[in-house]
Amino acid sequence: MNFFNALSQDFQNASNKALALPMANYLKNHFTFFGIKTEQRRTIFKSNYEKYKLEIKSNFREIAWELFQKQEREFHQCAIDLLQIEWKKNYLIEDIQFIEKLITTHSWWDTVDTIAKYFLGGYLKQFPQETHKVIERFSSSSNLWLNRSAILFQLSYKDKTNFDLLKSECEKHKNSNEFFIQKAIGWALRDYSRFNPTGVKEYVLSTQLKPLSTKEAIRLL
């Protein structure tokens, strides 16, 4: 029995219909769930990861993509858990294509935000020369989740954030009526305000952001 089959069997055994419905409701019924809480899901994943580590390490991109194409959200979450282990500082230049597929498949904030911060952000730390090209393409896309990712990818950069680039993304999308874009602008600015409060305050005061973006941006100021 391989990793995917073992994980699937354990998920079936742990499924809880009473929990699956409120989990689905929380994500606006975009996905189905086995009904497994986060701690239990991670325990199941870790147990199977240890059993099938050699299989995973030799084929982790394909296994993660197999998980991500399934319907149940727990599979998508495990794909992200797997990639957080295997991908750290271990990207290939062509992995940006896979990152884009992950962002645009079964998209919702709960997966996209992790992918943007850790995978897109991590990839561009490893290949900084790709930043302008990638962010320009994502930011100009008609896909709001790629737009959101272009705004949020520097969340892990802390004081190394390229503030000019962040401001450029905010300017590009500041008139958007999309809730998830307005929220992303505010979140990214608020996060960076911990390292450059004066700069963020000056930018917000001098820019006509949407009320939600402004509210989120100045929360720590």
Side-chain angles (χ1 to χ4, degrees), residues 55-184:
E55 173 194 338
I56 292 169
K57 286 188 174 298
S58 65
N59 207 26
F60 73 87
R61 291 172 179 82
E62 289 78 7
I63 291 171
W65 182 235
E66 182 178 13
L67 292 171
F68 220 80
Q69 292 180 87
K70 301 303 176 183
Q71 292 303 309
E72 292 84 1
R73 200 56 163 172
E74 287 91 346
F75 283 130
H76 311 159
Q77 293 160 339
C78 279
I80 289 173
D81 289 343
L82 187 157
L83 289 169
Q84 284 189 309
I85 296 171
E86 298 297 332
W87 235 351
K88 194 171 186 179
K89 297 181 181 179
N90 190 35
Y91 296 94
L92 303 175
I93 191 72
E94 61 267 26
D95 278 335
I96 190 59
Q97 299 166 29
F98 187 27
I99 293 170
E100 183 171 355
K101 281 205 304 183
L102 292 172
I103 292 171
T104 56
T105 302
H106 296 305
S107 308
W108 203 242
W109 63 265
D110 62 317
T111 55
V112 168
D113 292 356
T114 301
I115 295 165
K117 178 179 178 178
Y118 293 104
F119 302 155
L120 180 59
Y123 173 90
L124 293 175
K125 279 183 179 178
Q126 186 172 327
F127 301 110
Q129 72 277 9
E130 297 294 305
T131 300
H132 177 76
K133 177 176 68 176
V134 169
I135 296 307
E136 177 62 27
R137 181 161 58 84
F138 281 21
S139 182
S140 300
S141 170
S142 61
N143 184 291
L144 80 91
W145 300 108
L146 290 176
N147 300 162
R148 182 173 167 95
S149 297
I151 297 166
L152 295 178
F153 82 97
Q154 295 191 89
L155 286 175
S156 65
Y157 287 28
K158 301 180 180 179
D159 60 337
K160 301 295 192 299
T161 297
N162 182 334
F163 191 27
D164 287 337
L165 178 56
L166 174 55
K167 288 188 289 185
S168 175
E169 288 305 301
C170 293
E171 288 295 316
K172 192 168 188 176
H173 297 286
K174 68 181 181 181
N175 294 319
S176 173
N177 290 321
E178 288 283 356
F179 169 84
F180 288 110
I181 298 301
Q182 294 179 22
K183 193 83 169 180

